[in-house]
Amino acid sequence: MPPAAGKDPRDTPAMRQHAAFKARHPDALLLFRMGDFYECFDDDALVAHRTLGITLTERTSGLPMAGVPYHSVESYIKRLIDAGVTVAVVDQIQDPSEAKGVVERAVTRVLTPGTLVEDALLDEGRANTLAAIAFLEAGNGSSSRVALAFVEVSTGAFSLSDCAADDAPDELLRRGAQELIYAETATGERPPRLDALAAPLGIALTPRPAWQFRAAESLELLREHYAVVSLAGFGLDEADPALPAAGAVLRYLRETQAMHEEDALDESSRERFRHHIGDRTLAHLAPPARETEAGFMRIDAASIRALEIERTIRGDAPSHGARTEHADGSLAGLFATRQSSCKTAMGRRLLRDWLCRPLADLDAVRARHACVAAFVSDRRLASELAEQLAGVQDVPRIAARVALNRASPRDLVGLGGSLSRAEAITALLDGAPALAAHHARLVSVVDALQPIARDIADRCVDDPPAHLRDGGLIRDGVDAELDEARTLQRDAGEWLARYQGELIERFDLPSLKVGFNKVFGYYIELPSAQARRAPDVFTRKQTLKNAERYITPELKAYEDKVLGAADRAIAREQVLFAELCAAVRARAAEAARYAACVAELDVVRCFAERAVWKGWARPEMVETPVLSLGNLRHAVLEEVLGNECVGNDCALGTAHGSPDHPSLSLITGPNMAGKSTYIRSVALAALLAHAGSFVPADTATIGLTDRLFTRIGADDALHRGQSTFMVEMVETANILHHATNQSLVILDEIGRGTSTLDGLSLAWSIVEQLAGVGVKTESVDHPAPRTLFATHYHELTTLAERHAGRIANLHAEAREFNDQIIFLHRITPGAAPGSFGVQVARLAGVPDPVIARARELLANLSVSHAETERIVDGAPLPAAPSSAIAQLPLFAAPDDHPAVAGLRELKIESMTPLEAFDALRALAESARATSEPRA
């Protein structure tokens, strides 16, 4: 019925209730439960309509409304979250049949990108992290420091760190941060330095009241949550600069999990709210752990992207969760193939973390290699462990849902089955020296977890229901009260049959039937022909087309008894389920340690499978900054090309002065010949070795590496006002400032984004700096990191002769045959004879007339390098290698010309403007006359 004229359609009890929730959560889209639907109103309805494509209607005239079915709400929530929408779920906490007026409701959860725990909303192979940031210094300088807190609420991981502001994006990317909270300013505007830091990552930014970042409030909250009087037991100084961020993130989690939503309810509603959400806690959160950079190889965000560790540069998403037949092109995708994939979800997440944050501690790296070697050599052990791991579900995420009272019966049974395998896994590791540490860790938790696993297995059915609404989780014989209620339900059919027979015989009504449906309950049905003979004890309940339905006092009493038994059975199952969940919560710490150990075993076993399948070599890890690789292959291309993948050698970084092992190698050769593939192969081999994996080579000796730098490909950052060349120079500057003798640097085509002379000059100077032969500052040598420098500037190849032992030339081999170019994909010593750019353009399909014209121009522009003496820094340089079509020398003096000779004779400092103009006109005429074609 339309509202009365002039009446506000929002002025109804339900809409006033909705308005109160919206006032408390103004930035969230409210999903307001009404019967079998979650409804959105006003602007929320418009957002839902645009984002979800659902029908837009009106509750009353002028009040937009859009809704989704309650039983499929999770799929709609995921789409909203993916679109960057914060969602607040408003549930009915009162049975509508008991309501006098509007049904009582409450916000039961707030979902944001960084606070998801539901399995349907998460990627099982990728961390979903909430981060908080606190700026420790004023100003926007790149050297200013920030403190970071990271929480993965779906697993309970909690860590703290601080770093330079410029390094914060790398940390956020590595951690898989989906949302970043920060202290809001007095004006409500987002700090510009925050935009500069987080915008490139595309993560959600959420302001929080500034008082939540105060040190005193944060410290008090952390002590309260962990029930301690000091954080020293966690290894934390109470003056730690990251504690304000830790306190802010913990308070945000409490709010989004609706733990204090009852404070807004009256006393009569609080009990219903507590009953509805159950025993919801954050007990699964581990104490915050302080992390430092020590012991880990640093890889910045640009390098993670360039090396395609998580996804290909052109790809849209990582493939962590999928077990595909072939790699998707990323390094992580390589370990998701059917032949060498992790068996557990937590293993897949840990694998990504190890690849993005490899170790830089020699003993720790060697320990991982020893674990991999144990599985490589003992194939029975690897096979039996894989069989056990295949039955282990996502323990940390299930434990988190149990803590937050969002676990389903299937979660509980899956957790019990996963914990029950702890004993068998522990037994498998016994007797393997390399796995002794993992064995000890499992031994420390197995006794605490086995009773829970047995209890779940003994009490719960093997095939549990998806939810407890209709019961069916607890086995018969477990609980006497539950068995009694179930007996009443099971005996109902027998009782009804007996009662039907009694009524037929007693009242001589042969067509009488006794039945049941969910709408009307139990009934007695008579066809219309016999209805006139219904006895007085029958009370009419419903009239059908050809029949009448009745009830008797005896049948009504039995109905109350049976239906009450069904409700009692479900209520009792819920109590028993809650008891099992409480037992799990009590052992959350042990379950977390078990899951962490299993994940590590899964990853090293996965590394071993890849090593066995592809014949990867165990690297010898040494302190010396050396890199020696024999028959190295690109890890991903080897998967795609198989035996066609060409291997190459690499030798970098022994003592200076060795021509066979320079610290820097210049790599020249045509496009498409394999230069970029080669340098990426070297970088990936070093990364894999430090992560704990064997490497795709026949032999490998790898010196410990503190940082891995890459500058590959063209990219811009228009959102920061940076062109492609500016991004290239910013990333190169970062390398030059931070690379050490222990670093590995991979550079591709530096200087190509600007003019030829500018680019060559920069590339020349950068090579000298990285080789440790640049201009000295305060008599201190420049660091000489192991460097691979791919370039088309052939002029740079002369540096190898000037700095033998520091710089060496390599080239990608190619051959010309019948005007065709053939790529051999071999990297061999020496400089390339040319770049073959015109031939590559022809292969790309550039039209023949363009190719012909390019050849003509190249021939006209080319001069012999051998006849040209070039001067740099006042010293003559050896000529670059000549070729049939040599490149135009950039440092050669032009041929003598009358106009040039005249120009040299000018004394411009003593000329008037008019004299200078006349002289310039005469020179121009002379140049034109000389350049005119002769008859």
Side-chain angles (χ1 to χ4, degrees):
M1 179 181 297
K7 181 175 176 61
D8 187 349
R10 295 163 184 78
D11 189 19
T12 66
M15 288 298 97
R16 287 195 293 270
Q17 190 183 56
H18 179 276
F21 293 129
K22 190 65 179 176
R24 292 205 300 275
H25 301 276
D27 299 324
L29 181 145
L30 291 189
L31 289 176
F32 192 79
R33 178 72 181 270
M34 302 186 81
D36 289 339
F37 282 80
Y38 281 102
E39 303 288 0
C40 301
F41 299 100
D42 274 335
D43 291 342
D44 287 351
L46 300 177
V47 172
H49 168 65
R50 289 193 302 267
T51 307
L52 304 176
I54 57 178
T55 303
L56 187 66
T57 62
E58 289 187 340
R59 177 175 171 85
T60 55
S61 180
L63 181 59
M65 179 176 75
V68 299
Y70 82 95
H71 56 77
S72 59
V73 69
E74 299 296 340
S75 63
Y76 292 102
I77 289 176
K78 178 171 177 55
R79 290 164 61 187
L80 289 168
I81 295 296
D82 289 345
V85 179
T86 296
V87 177
V89 178
V90 181
D91 279 315
Q92 297 174 169
I93 60 173
Q94 182 184 24
D95 188 335
S97 64
E98 299 175 358
K100 297 179 180 178
V102 66
V103 178
E104 291 183 3
R105 295 179 174 87
V107 174
T108 57
R109 51 182 171 150
V110 178
L111 298 105
T112 70
T115 59
L116 306 177
V117 296
E118 289 79 1
D119 198 39
L121 304 178
L122 294 168
D123 177 350
E124 67 169 17
R126 185 176 177 82
N128 193 86
T129 305
L130 170 69
I133 188 169
F135 292 93
L136 304 180
E137 302 169 19
N140 299 319
S142 61
S143 62
S144 63
R145 307 221 26 111
V146 299
L148 296 165
F150 299 95
V151 172
E152 190 180 358
V153 67
S154 65
T155 64
F158 195 172
S159 61
L160 310 177
S161 68
D162 61 86
C163 61
D166 276 1
D167 294 331
D170 301 334
E171 281 294 294
L172 293 169
L173 176 69
R174 184 182 67 78
R175 304 288 191 136
Q178 301 297 308
E179 182 178 7
L180 179 65
I181 65 173
Y182 64 94
E184 63 184 356
T185 62
T187 62
E189 297 181 357
R190 198 153 61 207
R193 59 181 174 175
L194 185 68
D195 279 329
L197 181 151
L201 303 176
I203 63 177
L205 299 174
T206 304
R208 305 295 298 152
W211 67 266
Q212 296 185 4
F213 284 81
R214 289 202 290 257
E217 279 80 356
S218 295
L219 184 58
E220 181 182 356
L221 180 64
L222 289 164
R223 287 172 177 166
E224 175 200 328
H225 178 77
Y226 292 104
V228 295
V229 295
S230 171
L231 301 182
F234 303 145
L236 293 174
D237 187 331
E238 296 194 349
D240 192 307
L243 289 185
V249 80
L250 178 57
R251 196 177 301 275
Y252 185 59
L253 287 179
R254 287 189 168 192
E255 292 181 14
T256 57
Q257 305 312 309
M259 292 180 179
H260 299 292
E261 194 69 23
E262 62 184 281
D263 295 343
L265 304 174
D266 57 38
E267 190 61 38
S268 63
S269 301
R270 288 179 184 175
E271 187 61 34
R272 291 193 182 95
F273 178 80
R274 295 189 192 106
H275 176 76
H276 185 85
I277 72 165
D279 189 12
R280 184 178 295 181
T281 72
L282 288 170
H284 69 295
L285 278 190
R290 202 53 162 90
E291 292 193 356
T292 64
E293 298 176 0
F296 294 95
M297 178 199 285
R298 291 282 304 280
I299 310 178
D300 57 31
S303 298
I304 290 175
R305 182 175 61 253
L307 293 175
E308 301 182 317
I309 295 173
E310 295 187 274
R311 67 191 74 197
T312 60
I313 292 175
R314 296 181 182 274
D316 294 324
S319 64
H320 305 295
R323 297 186 189 180
T324 57
E325 194 67 42
H326 300 289
D328 68 347
S330 70
L331 187 62
L334 183 69
F335 292 99
T337 55
R338 207 174 291 275
Q339 295 85 353
S340 58
S341 63
C342 289
K343 299 296 183 182
T344 67
M346 55 262 201
R348 288 187 280 277
R349 291 195 297 273
L350 184 63
L351 171 66
R352 174 198 175 275
D353 187 61
W354 282 9
L355 293 178
C356 291
R357 198 187 193 202
L359 296 171
D361 178 272
L362 200 59
D363 292 337
V365 174
R366 288 171 175 168
R368 282 189 190 172
H369 289 160
C371 292
V372 176
F375 289 118
V376 168
S377 61
D378 191 339
R379 302 306 299 145
R380 182 195 60 81
L381 173 61
S383 176
E384 292 181 0
L385 178 64
E387 184 178 345
Q388 290 295 332
L389 293 179
V392 177
Q393 296 188 24
D394 201 340
V395 172
R397 284 189 171 175
I398 295 176
R401 291 196 289 274
V402 169
L404 293 167
N405 199 37
R406 293 187 193 157
S408 69
R410 291 177 182 172
D411 281 336
L412 186 65
V413 172
L415 181 63
S418 301
L419 299 181
S420 70
R421 294 178 180 264
E423 202 164 24
I425 294 173
T426 305
L428 281 176
L429 304 186
D430 193 16
L435 302 169
H438 293 87
H439 180 264
R441 289 163 62 187
L442 289 174
V443 167
S444 70
V445 299
V446 68
D447 289 341
L449 298 178
Q450 287 310 295
I452 298 174
R454 285 194 295 269
D455 207 15
I456 293 174
D458 292 344
R459 291 188 173 208
C460 300
V461 298
D462 296 331
D463 186 18
H467 50 73
L468 272 179
R469 287 195 295 266
D470 298 323
L473 172 64
I474 306 299
R475 297 180 188 274
D476 290 338
V478 169
D479 182 78
E481 183 180 339
L482 177 60
D483 289 345
E484 180 184 0
R486 284 177 172 173
T487 299
L488 280 172
Q489 292 178 275
R490 282 194 292 266
D491 291 347
E494 181 182 341
W495 187 92
L496 290 175
R498 185 174 65 252
Y499 185 61
Q500 177 178 301
E502 291 176 0
L503 292 178
I504 290 173
E505 183 178 353
R506 179 181 174 187
F507 297 110
D508 189 21
L509 297 169
S511 299
L512 180 146
K513 295 179 181 179
V514 178
F516 171 82
N517 68 37
K518 291 184 178 180
V519 177
F520 291 100
Y522 289 99
Y523 58 85
I524 299 166
E525 184 174 296
L526 290 173
S528 298
Q530 294 184 17
R532 65 175 66 94
R533 295 172 50 205
D536 294 340
V537 72
F538 286 14
T539 302
R540 182 177 283 106
K541 191 173 184 179
Q542 183 184 18
T543 299
L544 304 179
K545 183 178 181 181
N546 297 311
E548 296 285 345
R549 288 180 175 175
Y550 304 88
I551 190 74
T552 65
E554 187 178 9
L555 185 59
K556 178 61 177 173
Y558 188 78
E559 176 184 75
D560 293 341
K561 183 179 180 181
V562 171
L563 294 183
D567 292 339
R568 289 197 306 276
I570 293 173
R572 185 58 185 164
E573 283 203 68
Q574 290 173 339
V575 171
L576 297 174
F577 177 75
E579 290 176 356
L580 290 172
C581 289
V584 171
R585 280 193 289 270
R587 294 297 184 185
E590 289 87 350
R593 292 201 293 272
Y594 167 68
C597 187
V598 165
E600 290 180 18
L601 290 169
D602 197 11
V603 177
V604 294
R605 184 209 56 82
C606 173
F607 284 161
E609 294 303 311
R610 172 61 51 171
V612 170
W613 185 44
K614 287 297 184 181
W616 288 11
R618 178 178 181 174
E620 179 186 358
M621 302 299 297
V622 297
E623 291 279 5
T624 309
V626 62
L627 195 61
S628 178
L629 300 161
N631 194 30
L632 169 69
R633 289 92 63 193
H634 189 286
V636 178
L637 284 184
E638 181 185 39
E639 174 77 12
V640 177
L641 300 178
N643 293 332
E644 296 180 11
C645 185
V646 177
N648 284 288
D649 299 337
C650 177
L652 281 177
T654 57
H656 296 315
S658 170
D660 297 326
H661 294 80
S663 64
L664 186 148
S665 288
L666 284 164
I667 308 163
T668 52
N671 287 311
M672 299 288 293
K675 300 191 306 297
S676 294
T677 298
Y678 174 70
I679 64 176
R680 281 183 167 96
S681 300
V682 174
L684 291 178
L687 184 152
L688 284 167
H690 285 76
S693 172
F694 288 10
V695 298
D698 291 349
T699 60
T701 301
I702 299 175
L704 203 62
T705 305
D706 61 356
R707 295 189 68 154
L708 173 59
F709 294 99
T710 68
R711 165 87 279 279
I712 300 173
D715 194 10
D716 58 37
L718 298 180
H719 56 279
R720 295 200 301 263
Q722 295 180 356
S723 66
T724 300
F725 182 65
M726 175 59 78
V727 170
E728 177 183 324
M729 288 297 101
V730 167
E731 293 178 2
T732 303
N734 178 57
I735 294 171
L736 296 175
H737 282 300
H738 296 104
T740 72
N741 287 326
Q742 294 289 129
S743 302
L744 175 61
V745 178
I746 306 297
L747 296 172
D748 192 16
E749 301 297 346
I750 292 296
R752 301 298 286 186
T754 185
S755 71
T756 304
L757 287 175
D758 283 351
L760 176 56
S761 301
L762 284 166
W764 189 294
S765 178
I766 289 166
V767 168
E768 290 181 333
Q769 176 93 349
L770 290 172
V773 297
V775 178
K776 295 182 179 180
T777 303
E778 298 178 356
S779 300
V780 177
D781 286 337
H782 295 303
R786 290 156 289 176
T787 305
L788 292 175
F789 194 106
T791 184
H792 279 292
Y793 289 133
H794 287 258
E795 289 78 9
L796 299 181
T797 60
T798 61
L799 287 169
E801 298 182 38
R802 296 189 72 198
H803 304 289
R806 295 270 188 160
I807 301 173
N809 284 323
L810 299 175
H811 71 279
E813 287 194 62
R815 297 286 186 269
E816 284 189 281
F817 182 74
N818 290 339
D819 203 30
Q820 298 286 331
I821 185 170
I822 301 172
F823 301 118
L824 303 182
H825 303 293
R826 296 286 304 177
I827 305 297
T828 56
S835 289
F836 302 96
V838 176
Q839 292 90 329
V840 173
R842 185 175 182 274
L843 288 176
V846 174
D848 289 341
V850 176
I851 296 295
R853 177 58 175 160
R855 291 186 188 278
E856 178 185 337
L857 292 170
L858 181 61
N860 290 335
L861 292 171
S862 296
V863 296
S864 173
H865 283 222
E867 297 176 358
T868 303
E869 180 180 76
R870 298 178 296 169
I871 304 298
V872 177
D873 295 336
L877 295 179
S882 61
S883 63
I885 302 178
Q887 292 190 8
L888 181 66
L890 298 174
F891 298 133
D895 293 336
D896 285 340
H897 186 282
V900 175
L903 187 60
R904 290 196 186 101
E905 299 299 324
L906 290 180
K907 301 291 190 287
I908 58 173
E909 63 276 4
S910 61
M911 299 173 68
T912 66
L914 184 58
E915 290 172 338
F917 177 76
D918 289 339
L920 180 60
R921 181 173 57 186
L923 289 172
E925 291 174 352
S926 173
R928 282 195 293 270
T930 306
S931 63
E932 289 177 358
R934 297 177 181 175

